[in-house]
Amino acid sequence: MDGENRGRKDLMDAVEDIEIVIVGGGMCGLATALALHKKGIKSVVLERSESLRTTGGGIAVHTNGWRVYDQLGIGSELRKTSLPIQVARIAWLDSGKQRETPISEGEARCVIRSELIEALAAHLPPGTVRFGCQIVSVRLDTLTSSPILQMHDGKIIKAEIVIGCDGANSVIADFLELKPPKLLSACALRGFTNYPNGHGLAPEFIRQIKGQALVGRVPVSDTLVFWFVALQAYPEDSNVWKDPELIRQLALESVKGFPTEMIEIIDGSDLNSLSLTHLRYRAPWDILFGKFRKGTVTVAGDAMHVMGPFLGQGGSAGVEDSIVLARCLAPTLLEVNLEKGDRSRMVQKVGEALDAYAKERRMRLVWLSTQTYLMGTLLIGSSPMVVKLGVLIAMMALFRDPVGRL
């Protein structure tokens, strides 16, 4: 065999055909794979890390999120280790104003992210998730319009459908030419505090605002509390996020003057659980006008609509995507055969299904991202009080119960 033919054979050997590829093995990626599996549709999840990404803090799950997890068959499992939250309280310590909202309708709990990830993965068929798979670029085959994924190790994957669930720094979103997420000036410090003998706290979500800091805490179980501190500016020392002890010291410095209970919760936190995140968001107008499909490639979760944590809806919105996407795709995939038949017809039909998915999600996400943006301005923005008053009036006019959500 001469060198040219040997080169062609090596290239063909390096190309793998996979029908449905999900890029990213986080919450949304795993939920999408499980939603498709429930419909009898096989997919492969490509995760860049070498194992499940079980790091992270607490995830607020509202009624909409629980509906999704119940449909995916993991709701009952998650409820065993998370307390139902009964009341949401917010207090402005400088002015003495406060508000209390009973959570009498629906369901709100704080779930440990690692437990959620593990539950999703455990319900997937063996071999669904591949680790150590980093995507560096995407293109469409000029003849067949099939998505071609270039891997970091030089391998090539030829797919029929690609779903990008690869987070705020999404390679798939870049391929779709979505505008990059914007950086907020704010950052969030998060952690868990464990109480082996019980914390004795009421099942309430507490937020307190003083100066330029927003502090919150919520019990996860009878022995575990999740807390967070949101600051208006990212620390000058960009290396703080690498050192858990520096994160704790920054959090403690930021909550001076807050009630003793909050300070003690942070001081007693588990160092291994601490994180510092520079907050990002995709602007509502970018979601409204963004193009979420090219050929048979689309996005979901943070790759589609990363948002700040001020409503606690980012995680639930992402798994909502998975249910809607599976529902839109399933009838089409039953109608067309991804392995055989008219390729152009398959591309057309799948494209129509992905367009239906994007259309169904778009306005829901515009409203959620708008509400989150306004809530962030209200809670930790540096705008004058008259601006914040205008924001509050707008939220009360546009959204039901703008402050009381977990």
Side-chain angles (χ1 to χ4, degrees), residues 28 70 75 93 281 290 326 384:
C28 181
D70 286 338
L93 301 181
Y281 72 103

Side-chain angles (χ1 to χ4, degrees), residues 38-52:
K38 293 284 185 179
K39 299 284 187 181
I41 300 168
K42 180 182 178 181
S43 63
V44 173
V45 178
L46 302 181
E47 167 56 36
R48 63 181 297 172
S49 65
E50 297 298 329
S51 61
L52 285 176

Side-chain angles (χ1 to χ4, degrees), residues 93-94 208-215 229 231 248-260 262-264 266:
L93 301 181
D94 291 329
Q208 298 172 344
I209 302 171
K210 182 177 177 62
Q212 296 186 342
L214 164 66
V215 180
V229 179
L231 303 176
R248 179 165 65 179
Q249 291 305 317
L250 175 60
L252 289 171
E253 291 172 9
S254 304
V255 298
K256 288 181 178 178
F258 278 76
T260 303
M262 285 291 194
I263 297 173
E264 290 178 346
I266 295 172

Side-chain angles (χ1 to χ4, degrees), residues 366-368 370-371 374 390-402:
V366 167
W367 281 103
L368 274 178
T370 300
Q371 191 174 3
L374 293 175
V391 169
L392 181 59
I393 293 172
M395 291 186 69
M396 293 179 69
L398 294 172
F399 307 106
R400 178 176 177 267
D401 190 18

Side-chain angles (χ1 to χ4, degrees), residues 82-392:
S82 59
L83 294 173
I85 305 305
Q86 298 175 356
V87 175
R89 302 180 192 271
I90 184 167
W92 287 264
L93 301 181
D94 291 329
S95 65
K97 295 180 180 179
Q98 57 183 333
R99 174 172 172 173
E100 173 182 321
T101 306
I103 304 176
S104 55
E105 297 181 6
E107 182 178 9
R109 300 170 188 255
C110 183
V111 175
I112 302 172
R113 185 183 184 277
S114 61
E115 293 184 353
L116 176 51
I117 291 288
E118 289 167 354
L120 288 167
H123 285 73
L124 289 171
T128 298
V129 184
R130 298 185 186 179
F131 298 104
C133 298
Q134 182 177 349
I135 310 297
V136 296
S137 66
V138 189
R139 63 181 176 85
L140 296 182
D141 187 281
T142 53
L143 296 177
T144 65
S145 297
S146 296
I148 307 296
L149 305 178
Q150 178 69 54
M151 311 297 291
H152 186 264
D153 61 4
K155 294 180 180 178
I156 296 172
I157 292 177
K158 183 179 180 181
E160 301 296 340
I161 299 171
V162 172
I163 304 166
C165 302
D166 46 341
N169 298 312
S170 169
V171 174
I172 308 303
D174 290 343
F175 167 74
L176 295 177
E177 299 180 276
L178 295 176
K179 291 186 177 180
K182 301 178 185 298
L183 276 174
L184 288 166
S185 60
C187 68
L189 302 87
R190 302 178 175 96
F192 288 110
T193 304
N194 189 43
Y195 297 84
N197 298 320
H199 49 66
L201 299 175
E204 299 175 346
F205 175 45
I206 305 295
R207 284 171 291 183
Q208 298 172 344
I209 302 171
K210 182 177 177 62
Q212 296 186 342
L214 164 66
V215 180
R217 61 91 170 153
V218 59
V220 178
S221 66
D222 291 329
T223 58
L224 190 67
V225 176
F226 174 65
W227 61 266
F228 63 87
V229 179
L231 303 176
Q232 288 185 8
Y234 196 80
E236 294 181 3
D237 184 354
S238 59
N239 291 318
V240 170
W241 68 273
K242 300 178 182 178
D243 189 332
E245 182 56 43
L246 291 179
I247 295 175
R248 179 165 65 179
Q249 291 305 317
L250 175 60
L252 289 171
E253 291 172 9
S254 304
V255 298
K256 288 181 178 178
F258 278 76
T260 303
E261 177 192 85
M262 285 291 194
I263 297 173
E264 290 178 346
I265 289 174
I266 295 172
D267 191 38
S269 57
D270 178 1
L271 284 179
N272 293 328
S273 72
L274 302 188
S275 65
L276 169 62
T277 307
H278 200 163
L279 300 179
R280 300 167 182 261
Y281 72 103
R282 193 175 297 285
W285 44 92
D286 290 338
I287 295 175
L288 181 61
F289 298 110
K291 184 178 179 181
F292 294 129
R293 177 185 72 87
K294 184 184 292 186
T296 56
V297 180
T298 192
V299 283
D302 282 354
M304 187 183 198
H305 51 73
V306 62
M307 60 184 74
F310 308 111
L311 282 185
Q313 275 288 349
S316 292
V319 294
E320 274 185 2
D321 295 342
S322 67
I323 293 293
V324 176
L325 182 53
R327 186 173 67 236
C328 290
L329 269 179
T332 296
L333 298 184
L334 290 174
E335 179 182 347
V336 300
N337 190 320
L338 294 182
E339 295 180 342
K340 302 175 182 178
D342 187 340
R343 170 71 194 177
S344 61
R345 178 174 178 272
M346 188 280 290
V347 171
Q348 177 187 348
K349 289 294 184 180
V350 170
E352 290 172 356
L354 296 181
D355 285 341
Y357 153 71
K359 180 179 180 181
E360 182 171 344
R361 295 301 293 153
R362 192 180 301 274
M363 290 312 300
R364 161 77 168 157
L365 296 171
V366 167
W367 281 103
L368 274 178
S369 62
T370 300
Q371 191 174 3
T372 300
Y373 181 82
L374 293 175
M375 180 68 85
T377 301
L378 178 65
L379 294 179
I380 65 167
S382 56
S383 305
M385 186 55 67
V386 64
V387 174
K388 290 189 176 184
L389 179 60
V391 169
L392 181 59

